[in-house]
Every structure is written in structure tokens, then in C-alpha cells.
Amino acid sequence: MAYIIALACWMSDIQFCETLRKMIPMNPQLHAWWHVLVSCGLYTLTVAGQHARQRVLVAEEKDHEATIEVLCHFIPVAKIKERQ
């Protein structure tokens, strides 16, 4: 999802830069938002890959499991936890 929004920001910045400058007195910095959103998407993809690898590694272990925790309500983190 982050990649789609990032692409929309970047394409809007390319296509409508002059129009936006005339309509809005400030620059909305859509290209900068593209960088932020692509970085978020890459981080999420990396966590998903790490989680998939952890699931493979703990598949044979009965006392551990791979999980994804969310920090601060929006930062996913892949972890290996002991089963309870």
C-alpha cells in the first residue's frame, strides 16, 4: 500500500508541480513523501521476509514460534518467542 501511495505522490509531483505551485502557496514536497513512503514499504517488506525466514527456522522446534509484534502502534518487528 505504501508503494502505491508513494507512486501517486511522485507522479503527481512530476505531472502537476507547476499547477500545485500556483494553487497552493507552499510546496507540498511530494517527492520527499515518495522517499518516506518507499522507505516504509521497504522496511515492511524486509520484516515480512525476516518473518518468513524465522518461520522456516523454528518450524521443527516445538518450544518457539515466529511472530510479528507492533511497536508504537505502527512499527512491525519480527521476533522469535517461546511458546507458553
Side-chain angles (χ1 to χ4, degrees), residues 5 16 22-23 26 30 33 35 39 42 49 52 59-60 65 71 79-80:
I5 296 170
F16 306 115
K22 291 175 187 173
M23 290 173 52
M26 57 177 250
L30 294 176
W33 280 107
H35 284 282
S39 296
L42 180 61
E60 295 177 4
E65 65 181 339
L71 302 177
K79 294 199 173 202
I80 296 177

Side-chain angles (χ1 to χ4, degrees), residues 2-70:
Y3 287 115
I4 294 170
I5 296 170
L7 185 60
C9 285
W10 185 43
M11 296 305 290
S12 297
D13 190 40
I14 290 172
Q15 296 294 321
F16 306 115
C17 185
E18 294 301 320
T19 306
L20 286 172
R21 284 186 186 165
K22 291 175 187 173
M23 290 173 52
I24 303 172
M26 57 177 250
N27 186 352
Q29 299 294 330
L30 294 176
H31 186 82
W33 280 107
W34 177 83
H35 284 282
V36 170
L37 292 168
V38 165
S39 296
C40 291
L42 180 61
Y43 176 77
T44 304
L45 183 63
T46 303
V47 170
Q50 182 181 13
H51 177 67
R53 177 68 178 144
Q54 288 174 344
R55 287 181 60 191
V56 170
L57 293 174
V58 300
E60 295 177 4
E61 296 184 28
K62 304 291 184 217
D63 57 342
H64 288 84
E65 65 181 339
T67 63
I68 294 182
E69 291 184 2
V70 180

